[in-house]
Amino acid sequence: MADDTTDTKSSNQMWGGRFASGPDAIMEEINASIGFDKKLFAQDIRGSIAHATMLAHQGIISADDKDKIVHGLNTILSEIESGNFEFSRQLEDIHMNVEARLATLIGPAAGRLHTARSRNDQVALDFRLWVKEELQKTEQMLTGLIAAFLDRAEEHAESVMPGFTHLQTAQPVTFGHHCMAYVEMFGRDRARVRHAIEHLDESPIGAAALAGTGYPIDRHMTAKALGFREPTRNSIDTVSDRDFAIEFLSIAAIAGMHLSRLAEEIVIWSTPQFGFVRLSDAFSTGSSIMPQKKNPDAAELVRAKTGRINGSLVALLTIMKGLPLAYSKDMQEDKEQVFDAADSLELAIAAMTGMVRDMTVNTARMKAAAGSGYSTATDLADWLVREAGLPFRDAHHVTGRAVALAESKGCDLAELPLSDLQAIHADITDKVYDVLTVEASVASRKSFGGTAPSEVRRQIAFWRARN
Ligand code: ARG
């Protein structure tokens, strides 16, 4: 008896039986995860309550012990929530911190909680629950961002701006159409989020260390109690799988890439040279030395957060790629990557939603820019095809000559006198001026998904019905 107890102070309370001494200080430092996995306390306690309830239902532990365990766990939950819980690094992680406190609170019954369970399925459960909740939050936030874009698109379904390819003026589009491009992107991100929620909706608890258990547990019962569709099917896969975390990070990386492209556009649009949008004071900063400046810091930081998220995705893929089945401690490194990416993604979506809602759109500036750079050249070529019967390639050539002439005269296409145009091609009539305005150009592009205001409104209605 004396032998059993002498070492419990220095060796681990949970597995002290086999160990003569406690860990080296460095061992403790590299091994402990409590510094970050304490974030999982609510999931850990929920999981333990479901597990204990099932154990009692199956007659594996007594109803009396179950009651003590559940009561103790609820006490711990409120202790942690109110900041009255002392986390210990010696106890390594959230699972053992909770269990050790439970032993102090309720005595020996606490030792029955870990029946038919391992920290391997326990951590898989806690983390899955956390990622599921984060995905649900992400889904809602994306819905908010889409709503902000739908409002701006509706407001600007007819506001003409230059459309770009290669960041060179290409053809006039509407700002509403441009906004709806982002709705498509964030709509795809949200679809990926929904798919990932469905994908991870399986309960790991009961896989135990890796091989399942000899106790007559009911995994369907715990799955249901924890809000999962069903239990996972293979216990080895269950404790070695972190696909759900990698899927979260991939989704975050793709959404981050979209957010970063938007951030880049906002940075460009808000320069005095472009002047397409003005950010609200709430989402910009000044300069300590240059009083005239209004800087798009939030957009720049969104662009930068994407780098962090990409780093987390690559980190976790790399952590997992060499691991033999089933659990290895390497997997403990999954959490910080996901937590950090989740913080970054949440902030980036929130900042972007605010910026999109608040920014002032300078429609006059956009319209002026839309007409410069010969943006209606394609409309001239299309007119020649339609009205003068030219093959498109010839029309392209004729238009090229008109553009060159306008360029040499320093004027727009619409400012060239008819005589100049007719000198280039005799069949051109003064009707051509109808298509050389940016409004006419935009209104003509009624093809499905095109930039005509009527089409943009149809796109908005489609998404309104799905948001
Ligand atoms: N802290 C560990 C983690 O995050 C919990 C699982 C530990 N399992 C083990 N067999 N040592 O992965």
Side-chain angles (χ1 to χ4, degrees), residues 215-438:
Y215 295 98
I217 60 171
D218 183 349
R219 293 193 59 208
H220 290 87
M221 179 177 171
T222 39
K224 193 164 172 224
L226 292 164
F228 288 107
R229 191 178 55 235
E230 60 198 337
T232 54
R233 284 167 300 282
N234 179 300
S235 61
I236 296 176
D237 175 55
T238 301
V239 297
S240 70
D241 164 44
R242 289 296 181 270
D243 289 5
F244 60 93
I246 295 172
E247 278 185 19
F248 172 77
L249 291 173
S250 340
I251 291 166
I254 297 175
M257 175 270 292
H258 292 150
L259 289 160
S260 184
R261 294 181 77 174
L262 171 60
E264 173 68 6
E265 296 214 295
I266 288 178
V267 168
I268 294 172
W269 291 345
S270 62
T271 57
Q273 288 75 11
F274 265 76
F276 287 3
V277 301
R278 206 164 51 81
L279 292 176
S280 68
D281 289 354
F283 282 99
S284 45
T285 57
S287 156
S288 54
I289 175 167
M290 296 165 282
Q292 85 283 10
K293 296 244 313 189
K294 200 165 187 198
N295 292 330
D297 293 38
E300 295 167 274
L301 287 163
V302 166
R303 200 169 53 185
K305 294 278 182 209
T306 310
R308 288 174 75 132
I309 297 174
N310 290 350
S312 294
L313 170 61
V314 173
L316 189 52
L317 283 170
T318 312
I319 288 164
M320 295 302 295
K321 73 175 269 294
L323 301 188
L325 307 187
Y327 177 86
S328 295
K329 194 62 169 263
D330 311 49
M331 291 161 72
Q332 177 165 286
E333 294 280 320
D334 55 3
K335 290 168 214 62
E336 283 165 295
Q337 302 302 337
V338 170
F339 292 159
D340 187 74
D343 285 346
S344 296
L345 184 63
E346 273 186 39
L347 254 179
I349 299 177
M352 269 308 169
T353 308
M355 270 183 275
V356 169
R357 280 214 176 280
D358 280 13
M359 68 191 180
T360 313
V361 179
N362 189 335
T363 49
R365 200 54 202 234
M366 282 184 174
K367 188 179 160 185
S372 73
Y374 310 105
S375 66
T376 55
T378 320
D379 298 276
L380 172 55
D382 289 339
W383 187 89
L384 288 163
V385 169
R386 206 169 51 240
E387 306 296 331
L390 268 66
F392 184 79
R393 281 291 156 224
D394 296 349
H396 186 285
H397 189 77
V398 169
T399 306
R401 288 180 57 204
V403 168
L405 182 63
E407 207 164 30
S408 72
K409 291 191 154 194
C411 69
D412 275 341
L413 277 178
E415 286 162 5
L416 283 176
L418 185 60
S419 55
D420 275 1
L421 290 170
Q422 285 176 336
I424 295 170
H425 198 282
D427 292 349
I428 298 179
T429 71
D430 63 353
K431 284 255 185 298
V432 78
Y433 291 103
D434 292 348
V435 303
L436 295 183
T437 68
V438 287

Side-chain angles (χ1 to χ4, degrees), residues 33 37 92-93 95 119-120 123 327 329 331-332 335:
S33 55
D37 68 16
E92 210 179 304
D93 57 24
H95 324 297
R119 274 190 299 156
N120 297 349
V123 73
Y327 177 86
K329 194 62 169 263
M331 291 161 72
Q332 177 165 286
K335 290 168 214 62

Side-chain angles (χ1 to χ4, degrees), residues 125-142:
L125 169 67
D126 295 3
F127 199 27
R128 228 179 239 252
L129 284 171
W130 192 92
V131 171
K132 186 176 170 185
E133 282 162 33
E134 190 59 32
L135 283 166
Q136 284 161 343
K137 202 186 290 177
T138 308
E139 182 184 359
Q140 275 175 17
M141 294 190 75
L142 286 171

Side-chain angles (χ1 to χ4, degrees), residues 24-177:
D24 188 272
I26 295 295
M27 178 59 203
E28 192 178 292
E29 188 167 340
I30 196 171
N31 201 33
S33 55
I34 188 63
F36 49 87
D37 68 16
K38 62 173 136 194
K39 224 186 171 95
L40 299 175
F41 73 90
Q43 290 77 12
D44 195 71
I45 290 172
R46 261 179 75 202
S48 289
I49 290 175
H51 181 66
T53 307
M54 179 279 292
L55 289 178
H57 185 262
Q58 297 299 102
I60 301 167
I61 65 172
S62 72
D64 192 39
D65 284 346
K66 184 261 293 179
D67 289 343
K68 283 190 192 131
I69 289 170
V70 171
H71 185 258
L73 287 169
N74 280 322
T75 306
I76 295 170
L77 182 63
S78 42
E79 285 177 352
I80 298 178
E81 277 172 343
S82 61
N84 291 318
F85 188 94
E86 219 179 288
F87 290 101
S88 144
R89 199 169 76 168
Q90 267 139 25
L91 291 165
E92 210 179 304
D93 57 24
I94 185 63
H95 324 297
M96 297 205 289
N97 268 268
V98 169
E99 200 184 321
R101 176 71 185 139
L102 187 64
T104 315
L105 284 174
I106 68 166
R112 300 199 185 276
L113 171 60
H114 214 51
T115 314
R117 179 176 85 168
S118 149
R119 274 190 299 156
N120 297 349
D121 58 341
Q122 193 178 353
V123 73
L125 169 67
D126 295 3
F127 199 27
R128 228 179 239 252
L129 284 171
W130 192 92
V131 171
K132 186 176 170 185
E133 282 162 33
E134 190 59 32
L135 283 166
Q136 284 161 343
K137 202 186 290 177
T138 308
E139 182 184 359
Q140 275 175 17
M141 294 190 75
L142 286 171
T143 298
L145 178 56
I146 290 170
F149 267 118
L150 286 171
D151 289 347
R152 298 318 301 255
E154 201 152 285
E155 197 184 321
H156 291 288
E158 311 207 5
S159 308
V160 181
M161 71 179 283
F164 299 94
T165 60
H166 313 267
L167 198 56
Q168 304 287 325
T169 305
Q171 293 171 345
V173 297
T174 67
F175 185 60
H177 193 210

Side-chain angles (χ1 to χ4, degrees), residues 443-456:
S444 73
R445 295 199 150 70
K446 290 200 183 80
S447 56
F448 188 86
T451 202
S454 57
E455 260 308 296
V456 172

